Amino acid sequence: MLLEIYRRAALIRQNDIRVIKEIRAGRLVTSYYSPRGQEIIPSAVSVSLDERDKICTIYRGTHDMLAKGFPLKPLWGELAGRISGSCKGKGGTMHLTHPESGCMVTTGIVGSSMPIATGLGWAAKLDGQGAVSVAYFGDGAANIGAFHESLNMASLWKLPVIFICQNNRYAEHTSFANSTAVERLSVRAAGYAMPGVTIEGNDPEEMYGAAKVAIDRARAGEGPTLIEALTFRFNGHVLGDAAAYIPSAELEKAKAADPVPKLRQRLLDDRVSDLAGIEEIESAIAERIEQAVAAAYAAPTPGIEEMKRDVFAHELA
Ligand SMILES: Cc1ncc(C[n+]2csc(CCOP(=O)(O)OP(=O)(O)O)c2C)c(N)n1
Ligand SMILES: [Mg+2]
């Protein structure tokens, strides 16, 4: 299980580093919200999800998408605005979607992953096949009306939804303490008669355990759960944000506890894998990323005609 979590986390980390490298080199032109520091959360959740299950997330959610199985080539096609993207290059980071892998949407509207996942939970319940949906969102989004509306409806109708708040301590430039009346977001679950837990999201076992309980509960028809997963974002809000509002001691402390190398070391210490095994996983990932980047740059942009398709209900003349 830990090795499976590492496979996903290492992919997310390497992919993030590559995206940033491409942007800084001027080859990739996109706004980018780095999930570095938050890799463990979706990696530890996704090992308990299968192809029936669906996720919705936010603009920062490349990690959530990769952990669920969003393939690299359509992802890079989308990031680069090419026809090979999953939305033919018309969505970008704010609208990543690949329904075949259950990756329904990243959204730029803060709080909107929750009502969408609630609707998907309702559809799953009507289908009766035991599928679940996951809504990933940030600490800032927990103060949006849609959070309360979604939790209420999901609980009332006992929908198979897992609400996972990735509390990275900041919403844009505003700290959690300056924006939120409660110390633990999980206490809000009580207001909607569902279980709520706060856990260390960067601890793979804690995250795996909490997600497994919630997913099993949802599959069994017992309704939704709220999980507040504590974490930290390493690269500020949007790439280019100098993050001067984060006290340097706070950032340094979080970076010193970087969860991906920590898990890597743990796998070695516990002899879950030897170094050669880990390096093989990492070089296979590097190779896959390399191929996806090359394929994206080799693909054409959508072109004017394609840009109008699928955008308007009635195509423009
Ligand atoms: C409805 C809405 N309000 C405000 C914004 C502007 N905005 C973009 S990101 C953001 C912060 C959200 O923070 P959080 O939910 O903690 O997610 P994080 O970026 O930390 O992962 C805000 C306020 C928006 N995009 N949508
Ligand atoms: Mg946040």
Side-chain angles (χ1 to χ4, degrees):
M1 180 270 292
L2 283 180
L3 193 61
E4 269 315 305
I5 295 174
Y6 184 71
R7 272 183 214 283
R8 289 167 164 84
L11 168 66
I12 294 163
R13 182 174 186 271
Q14 279 196 42
N15 191 71
D16 183 83
I17 290 168
R18 186 60 187 267
V19 171
I20 293 173
K21 184 177 168 195
E22 294 302 303
I23 292 173
R24 295 214 163 120
R27 290 185 290 266
L28 190 62
V29 182
T30 176
S31 54
Y32 184 61
Y33 304 83
S34 167
R36 273 287 287 122
Q38 304 181 200
E39 296 92 336
I40 297 296
I41 297 173
S43 302
V45 172
S46 295
V47 291
S48 303
L49 297 176
D50 61 43
E51 64 283 349
R52 290 170 295 175
D53 303 326
K54 303 201 177 343
I55 67 160
C56 297
T57 182
I58 68 169
Y59 45 87
R60 194 178 306 289
T62 327
H63 59 326
D64 304 323
M65 293 302 192
L66 284 170
K68 179 68 173 67
F70 201 120
L72 280 169
K73 282 189 180 168
L75 176 76
W76 272 87
E78 204 51 40
L79 295 179
R82 306 303 161 109
I83 194 83
S84 58
S86 54
C87 294
K88 299 178 188 158
K90 293 180 275 186
T93 47
M94 297 271 187
H95 305 93
L96 291 174
T97 169
H98 190 263
E100 299 90 328
S101 58
C103 294
M104 301 313 282
V105 75
T106 57
T107 135
I109 311 298
V110 170
S112 64
S113 63
M114 292 173 273
I116 302 171
T118 300
L120 290 164
W122 189 11
K125 184 167 178 163
L126 293 176
D127 271 353
Q129 302 296 315
V132 304
S133 69
V134 175
Y136 293 109
F137 54 98
D139 44 294
N143 292 328
I144 291 257
F147 166 88
H148 303 276
E149 293 162 10
S150 302
L151 266 68
N152 183 59
M153 184 181 277
S155 180
L156 185 66
W157 292 352
K158 286 210 174 321
L159 303 180
V161 187
I162 300 95
F163 295 96
I164 302 182
C165 178
Q166 304 191 21
N167 185 348
N168 58 18
R169 321 307 296 170
Y170 288 87
E172 278 192 319
H173 304 177
T174 307
S175 73
F176 182 68
N178 276 342
S179 63
T180 308
V182 292
E183 207 168 303
R184 291 275 173 260
L185 287 168
S186 54
V187 303
R188 292 184 178 170
Y192 302 103
M194 70 172 76
V197 287
T198 295
I199 53 143
E200 289 300 330
N202 287 358
D203 180 314
E205 277 156 329
E206 259 196 62
M207 189 65 240
Y208 170 81
K212 180 89 171 67
V213 168
I215 292 167
D216 288 350
R217 193 181 124 78
R219 283 205 208 287
E222 290 165 26
T225 300
L226 172 63
I227 300 175
E228 179 189 26
L230 302 176
T231 187
F232 207 85
R233 55 166 163 73
F234 289 180
N235 291 324
H237 178 56
V238 65
L239 195 69
D241 170 13
Y245 51 88
I246 302 180
S248 51
E250 189 182 357
L251 186 58
E252 289 320 312
K253 189 172 164 223
K255 283 188 174 173
D258 190 338
V260 185
K262 201 167 162 183
L263 175 55
R264 187 184 198 269
Q265 194 55 48
R266 162 93 191 273
L267 294 173
L268 294 171
D269 292 346
D270 292 357
R271 297 182 193 281
V272 176
S273 174
D274 58 11
L275 188 58
I278 297 270
E279 285 177 349
E280 204 178 301
I281 290 173
E282 291 165 350
S283 56
I285 291 170
E287 177 62 30
R288 283 173 55 210
I289 293 174
E290 197 56 51
Q291 287 172 4
V293 176
Y297 291 157
T301 53
I304 294 293
E305 279 314 306
E306 181 57 49
M307 281 167 84
K308 289 188 283 186
R309 196 169 298 138
D310 304 330
V311 174
F312 300 99
H314 302 287
E315 267 184 41
L316 296 181

